[in-house]
Amino acid sequence: MSDKYWKIEKDDNNIAWLHFDTPDSAANLLAQAAIKELDEIIQGFEKELPQAVVILSDKKDSFVFGADIKEFTALDNKEQALAFMHNGHALMNRIEALACPTVSMVHGICLGGGTELSLACDYFIASDHKKTKIGLPEIKLGIHPGYGGTARSIERCGPLAAMNIMLTGRALTARAAKKIKLIDEMVPQRQLKSAAEHYALNAPKRKPLPLLTRLTNSAPLRPLIASQMRKQVASKAKPEHYPAPYTLIDLWQKNAGNKKQMLEKEAVAVAELATTDTARNLVRVFFLQENLKSQGKKVKFDVEHVHVIGGGIMGGDIASWCAIQGYSVTVQDQSPERLAQTIKRAQYSFKKKFKRDRRAIRDANDLLMADHRGAGIHRADIVIEAIFEDAEVKRALYESIEPKMKPDAILATNTSSIKLEDLSSCLQNPGRLVGLHFFNPVALMPLVEIIRGNESDENVVQQALAFAKNIGKLPLAVKSSPGFLVNRILMPYILEAVTMVDEGIAPEVIDKAATDYGMPMGPIELADTVGLDICKSVANILSEALGLPLPDNLKQLSDKKLGKKTGEGFYKYKDGKPVKNKKASYDNPQEVQDRLVMRLINEATACLREGIVEEKDLIDAGVIFGTGFAPFRGGPLEYIRSSGIDNLSKTMDQLQSKFGDRFKKDEGWNNL
Ligand code: NAI
């Protein structure tokens, strides 16, 4: 028997402590080899039973991150996937059936397969540390739990709580997990071992679930509850785009009365889901995300203090986001009244983020300071500028602050359209300027574009990437060119949508065509949300640089109709929501969708040709995380690949002959 992943330690009470410690890795993954090794160990215990078994991790602040997703990508067909699932099931069933108490002792991250392993044990206990996070996030990869987690989580917490965590994929704190009875006990980290010992030696009886909770799992009630669940899921994901949540609800509805059957069907369902295009693309998105994170790991950049200049929409939110992430921040604005609003808005952000955790809210408040005179500049390791979008104003500011900055501090601008070279010329040390382009709303948008100006020092670019990653964002290094990556790819798509409104197609039809494709919001509603004035200014810059035709609608903008913020744009807004005409229709919705999508992917191929980012995959990553582009399609370039270049090429040619040269294929198509 090999002991590569697991070490057995027997104590005086004959408790077998099973230490999980994947070699040469910072984290444990429940890979097939680790499953096999553990299975052999448990088989050994079946023959020579210890007093009890406790499973724990030797990794710092993490238990098990989940299954090894790389292994999923190697599954070619359903049969292979099913064999894969069966290995996991065999192990979990063996642990569950072991004739001595079994305890999972969790500290730190415990996700997916880690939670399923813990659920197969008699007792599941966890530290109350803030790094302990427990969840079943498989749905985010286009599958659902496949190592027995569906039946066992429902058995422990009842269907409502268990289905909620599986359908959302969210990770819970130990406190929240205890509240829904997913875990048996939550104790301070220093008491975790003695708590595990207590459970191992005393094997206390678990209380049955309350009658009402058990009733929700009964055959007569299941169809009703399942239909409610389907409705809720449908408001977020269409079954043809994301089948996994619907499969999970069916699995529960049909099999919840019989655990053995549910376990068997679970394996089959996941084997089927794992080989769908959706799952493959969502796994791809997971790796794209890891790729972006790794961009921020190349250098170490210890930031003790952040200074933000401009307390408006962006600067204010960047400052409060940094405080939420635990950084000491000063925020400066020329207007004291504006600054007062900035701090007020930050309070709101802190409450939204931390809810009733008053200690966390207080800590964030302590970290954020209003700084009208800019006293924080002297001690900042990074100064983030987010003032008006005006090159002259920005340059004047830089000239006045540079002498006050620490010699090695970096200066980052949030400009969305000004060339970095036009700004850095006024600096004594132009190499210290880099773009740090956040998206609005800062708290929700995961991507930050790091703009590499012609004069930016490479180390400064790397430090900016590291900073963005350290504040919990996904950093993407982008060449300094008009619109950078995200706005450039998004703008032709939005302009096409506005052109169609000019032609008389209803905004509702256009937005529906986009959401049917899988976009989170239609382009017309998006333009209204961003603000039509902002859209117009970005469109102007891009139209000049790239020769994009501007639709009349956008040229003749009324100050009173700037979108959601003025109560009217393309739509009228009531209580912050667009009033839509449900009856709006058009006889060729497919063409509407093609026009939108083709403009977007054509611009993506142009960005690839121009080397706006360093590698092909980063275009897909940027567009997915910067615009919300349908993740299940894997990104615009992946979409071209999976739909067939010839197919889409034909669509482009047809659109070009009907609508003109804005549909002319970029030369980049030849290199795809
Ligand atoms: P905003 O108008 O809401 O805020 C700008 C703030 O800067 C104002 O509070 C103003 O008082 C302050 N300010 C102006 N000059 C100053 C100076 N010399 N010293 C100190 N404070 C000064 O603008 P917003 O929308 O926050 O934009 C800021 C920057 O972020 C711009 O460069 C913009 O292009 C960029 N950006 C904006 C996005 C958006 O969606 N609004 C998205 C991404 C980038």
Side-chain angles (χ1 to χ4, degrees):
M1 189 166 62
S2 83
D3 61 352
K4 203 169 151 206
Y5 296 87
W6 300 89
K7 307 266 177 313
I8 309 171
E9 178 204 354
K10 286 260 180 80
D11 69 8
D12 295 346
N13 290 318
N14 195 25
I15 298 176
W17 298 81
L18 277 183
H19 297 252
F20 192 7
D21 192 6
T22 305
D24 309 319
S25 165
N28 286 323
L29 295 176
L30 206 55
Q32 289 281 304
I35 288 181
K36 185 165 178 281
E37 196 179 300
L38 183 57
D39 198 69
E40 285 168 8
I41 293 172
I42 304 292
Q43 285 184 44
F45 289 164
E46 284 168 353
K47 290 183 199 121
E48 201 178 319
L49 202 65
Q51 176 66 35
V53 175
V54 179
I55 297 179
L56 67 159
S57 155
D58 281 357
K59 302 295 185 198
K60 187 173 184 283
D61 295 335
S62 75
F63 179 71
V64 178
F65 270 77
D68 184 348
I69 298 167
K70 276 211 188 87
E71 294 183 339
F72 271 78
T73 54
L75 297 175
D76 287 333
N77 54 47
K78 243 185 325 191
E79 290 67 36
Q80 271 182 17
L82 192 58
F84 194 91
M85 293 302 142
H86 280 157
N87 293 339
H89 270 263
L91 168 66
M92 303 305 169
N93 291 343
R94 206 181 278 290
I95 293 176
E96 189 172 50
L98 201 65
C100 69
T102 48
V103 184
S104 175
M105 173 183 146
V106 170
H107 166 69
I109 304 285
C110 171
L111 297 174
T115 299
E116 299 186 273
L117 175 66
S118 304
L119 288 170
C121 294
D122 298 319
Y123 304 103
F124 185 172
I125 66 170
S127 80
D128 65 1
H129 197 278
K130 65 176 180 200
K131 291 201 169 145
T132 296
K133 289 275 157 62
I134 301 167
L136 291 165
E138 288 85 347
I139 215 86
K140 294 182 182 168
L141 297 175
I143 56 172
H144 58 62
Y147 289 160
T150 57
R152 292 196 178 98
S153 64
I154 290 169
E155 186 175 52
R156 279 202 180 225
C157 359
L160 300 187
M163 291 292 276
N164 178 284
I165 55 169
M166 288 188 279
L167 288 170
T168 57
R170 71 198 163 95
L172 305 179
T173 58
R175 184 177 302 279
K178 171 86 174 41
K179 202 166 162 201
I180 63 163
K181 299 193 172 65
L182 186 68
I183 63 172
D184 296 285
E185 193 71 82
M186 169 192 78
V187 293
Q189 195 187 349
R190 62 179 189 284
Q191 290 166 10
L192 194 57
K193 191 164 180 227
S194 49
E197 225 161 26
H198 166 79
Y199 277 88
L201 295 175
N202 299 305
K205 259 209 159 114
R206 184 178 301 123
K207 273 201 213 145
L209 287 171
L211 179 65
L212 206 62
T213 311
R214 277 180 282 146
L215 273 179
T216 53
N217 212 28
S218 66
L221 283 186
R222 284 203 303 268
L224 196 76
I225 298 173
S227 104
Q228 284 302 323
M229 287 178 184
R230 277 187 204 102
K231 260 192 214 147
Q232 268 183 16
V233 170
S235 68
K236 299 210 172 80
K238 293 185 169 53
E240 60 274 27
H241 297 162
Y242 297 98
Y246 298 91
T247 310
L248 173 60
I249 297 170
D250 287 349
L251 175 78
W252 169 67
Q253 186 185 339
K254 290 186 191 141
N255 306 291
N258 181 337
K259 182 172 169 188
K260 187 164 173 281
Q261 181 178 311
M262 182 150 173
L263 287 172
E264 281 165 13
K265 300 272 182 193
E266 177 204 80
V268 176
V270 173
E272 276 179 21
L273 287 169
T275 45
T276 57
D277 285 345
T278 295
R280 288 192 202 288
N281 280 330
L282 292 180
V283 166
R284 174 180 156 73
V285 171
F286 172 84
F287 285 115
L288 291 176
Q289 184 171 344
E290 295 299 298
N291 186 350
L292 288 178
K293 282 186 200 158
S294 73
Q295 310 282 316
K297 289 184 185 162
K298 292 178 191 154
V299 302
K300 215 164 158 263
F301 182 41
D302 292 324
V303 167
E304 280 180 15
H305 186 75
V306 181
H307 184 75
V308 181
I309 310 184
I313 301 178
M314 295 304 289
D317 284 1
I318 294 168
S320 57
W321 179 260
C322 291
I324 285 172
Q325 296 299 317
Y327 284 87
S328 150
V329 188
T330 37
V331 54
Q332 175 185 354
D333 199 288
Q334 61 188 8
S335 145
E337 294 77 30
R338 192 73 198 247
L339 211 45
Q341 279 173 22
T342 309
I343 298 296
K344 208 165 145 197
R345 232 180 47 242
Q347 305 292 316
Y348 175 76
S349 308
F350 297 158
K351 281 196 191 130
K352 198 158 175 207
K353 173 76 190 173
F354 295 120
K355 311 227 158 53
R356 270 175 295 178
D357 187 345
R358 270 191 253 152
R359 200 165 58 176
I361 295 175
R362 191 200 57 205
D363 288 350
N365 264 316
D366 286 350
L367 287 169
L368 180 67
M369 281 152 283
D371 177 14
H372 175 46
R373 292 181 206 288
I377 296 175
H378 302 274
R379 61 191 173 101
D381 304 292
I382 176 166
V383 174
I384 304 174
E385 170 273 307
I387 66 169
F388 299 138
E389 189 69 342
D390 179 320
E392 234 167 86
V393 180
K394 287 192 197 272
R395 274 197 298 266
L397 174 79
Y398 294 177
E399 271 174 316
S400 71
I401 61 169
E402 190 181 21
K404 298 181 198 157
M405 285 172 63
K406 288 209 280 197
D408 53 356
I410 70 174
L411 175 59
T413 172
N414 189 42
T415 179
S416 41
S417 58
I418 303 171
K419 278 211 288 213
L420 253 62
E421 297 71 39
D422 291 347
L423 297 175
S424 59
S425 54
C426 70
L427 289 168
Q428 296 293 324
N429 172 9
R432 68 174 11 173
L433 183 73
V434 65
L436 201 63
H437 186 222
F438 288 82
F439 294 87
N440 187 7
V442 174
L444 294 183
M445 298 300 287
L447 192 80
V448 175
E449 288 178 321
I450 311 297
I451 317 303
R452 178 186 268 130
N454 292 340
E455 293 184 294
S456 307
D457 277 350
E458 187 50 32
N459 191 42
V460 169
V461 173
Q462 293 302 329
Q463 286 177 325
L465 286 160
F467 175 73
K469 190 212 125 249
N470 292 344
I471 59 167
K473 296 288 176 192
L474 299 173
L476 173 63
V478 183
K479 219 159 114 174
S480 171
S481 82
F484 311 132
L485 178 80
V486 172
N487 284 344
R488 170 158 173 196
I489 291 185
L490 206 52
M491 196 41 74
Y493 156 87
I494 291 182
L495 291 182
E496 193 59 30
V498 176
T499 306
M500 287 193 260
V501 179
D502 261 353
E503 289 169 13
I505 303 176
E508 290 84 351
V509 168
I510 300 164
D511 280 349
K512 183 166 181 304
T515 52
D516 281 350
Y517 179 78
M519 299 303 217
M521 180 187 269
I524 299 293
E525 193 177 338
L526 179 66
D528 266 0
T529 307
V530 171
L532 298 180
D533 49 343
I534 294 181
C535 262
K536 184 178 173 182
S537 78
V538 180
N540 277 333
I541 291 162
L542 283 174
S543 105
E544 214 179 287
L546 308 171
L548 303 177
L550 274 194
D552 290 340
N553 247 333
L554 215 52
K555 282 188 208 150
Q556 303 141 6
L557 211 56
S558 144
D559 279 355
K560 294 200 181 77
K561 294 183 183 174
L562 296 179
K564 191 172 168 181
K565 60 187 169 189
T566 55
E568 186 173 353
F570 288 106
Y571 293 108
K572 282 199 171 124
Y573 287 79
K574 203 173 160 215
D575 302 328
K577 296 237 160 70
V579 182
K580 291 193 179 179
N581 174 7
K582 291 199 180 96
K583 289 189 191 134
S585 65
Y586 184 65
D587 54 7
N588 193 353
Q590 184 59 49
E591 185 180 86
V592 173
Q593 191 178 80
D594 287 345
R595 287 175 67 177
L596 294 172
V597 174
M598 291 299 146
R599 296 268 328 250
L600 189 150
I601 63 175
N602 198 35
E603 205 56 46
T605 55
C607 289
L608 177 67
R609 172 179 51 78
E610 287 178 29
I612 300 295
V613 291
E614 281 164 2
E615 43 177 299
K616 189 175 168 192
D617 274 354
L618 292 177
I619 293 200
D620 282 347
V623 177
I624 291 172
F625 295 109
T627 71
F629 180 94
F632 70 94
R633 297 198 189 270
L637 298 179
E638 176 60 20
Y639 173 68
I640 302 182
R641 195 200 61 74
S642 62
S643 313
I645 299 175
D646 291 345
N647 266 342
L648 296 188
S649 197
K650 253 185 235 149
T651 311
M652 280 296 281
D653 294 342
Q654 282 159 4
L655 290 173
Q656 186 184 2
S657 62
K658 188 161 175 191
F659 298 103
D661 277 353
R662 62 182 193 275
F663 287 99
K664 184 165 180 237
K665 284 195 297 280
D666 184 86
E667 283 164 32
W669 282 76
N670 301 328
N671 309 329
L672 285 174

